Amino acid sequence: QVQLVESGGGLVQAGDSLRLSCAASGRTFSNGVVGWFRQAPGKEREFVAFITWSGRDTAYADSVKGRFIISRDNAKNTVYLQMNSLKHEDTAVYYCAARGSAMLSRLPAAYNYWGQGTQVTVSS
């Protein structure tokens, strides 16, 4: 089992920055993928970004490309999501998720492990 714990959410103003953290514990893996997803009220969970544990591959949703940066610290088993130039439409619960396979995916169903989520609210 893998446990994921997100932190770093909060209430900010448009244009501000936040950094989310996803700390992994339990059975971690060196070949897997960690993704960030978000879900706004009344909407489906959507892909934000992913990174392989090796750091070799990353991908971003078009809506956050150029503003968000995903990174990892393998020594701390932690993945980060640096969110800059936040917009009101970035308001959502942000989840990190992990899968043991190195196969890259933007689909929530492809991920086996999920954190509890952290709320990000951006006031306009």
Side-chain angles (χ1 to χ4, degrees), residues 50-83:
F50 68 59
I51 187 169
T52 52
W53 274 113
S54 69
R56 186 184 67 184
D57 298 294
T58 60
Y60 298 90
D62 287 344
S63 59
V64 307
K65 197 174 295 182
R67 299 188 297 122
F68 290 11
I69 301 171
I70 190 170
S71 62
R72 90 275 181 261
D73 183 333
N74 288 4
K76 296 183 178 180
N77 284 333
T78 300
V79 172
Y80 303 99
L81 185 69
Q82 177 66 43
M83 306 187 296

Side-chain angles (χ1 to χ4, degrees), residues 5 8 18 32 37 54 56 66 74 92 96 107 115 123:
V5 179
L18 274 178
F37 295 81
S54 69
R56 186 184 67 184
N74 288 4
C96 74
L107 299 176
S123 63

Side-chain angles (χ1 to χ4, degrees), residues 5-53:
V5 179
E6 303 97 334
S7 61
L11 172 63
V12 297
Q13 293 185 336
D16 286 351
S17 298
L18 274 178
R19 189 178 78 160
L20 305 183
S21 300
C22 173
S25 61
R27 186 181 75 82
T28 56
F29 27 76
S30 58
N31 296 323
V33 182
V34 176
W36 283 98
F37 295 81
R38 65 188 183 186
Q39 188 166 19
K43 295 188 177 181
E44 293 188 352
R45 192 166 297 189
E46 65 174 4
F47 167 76
V48 175
F50 68 59
I51 187 169
T52 52
W53 274 113

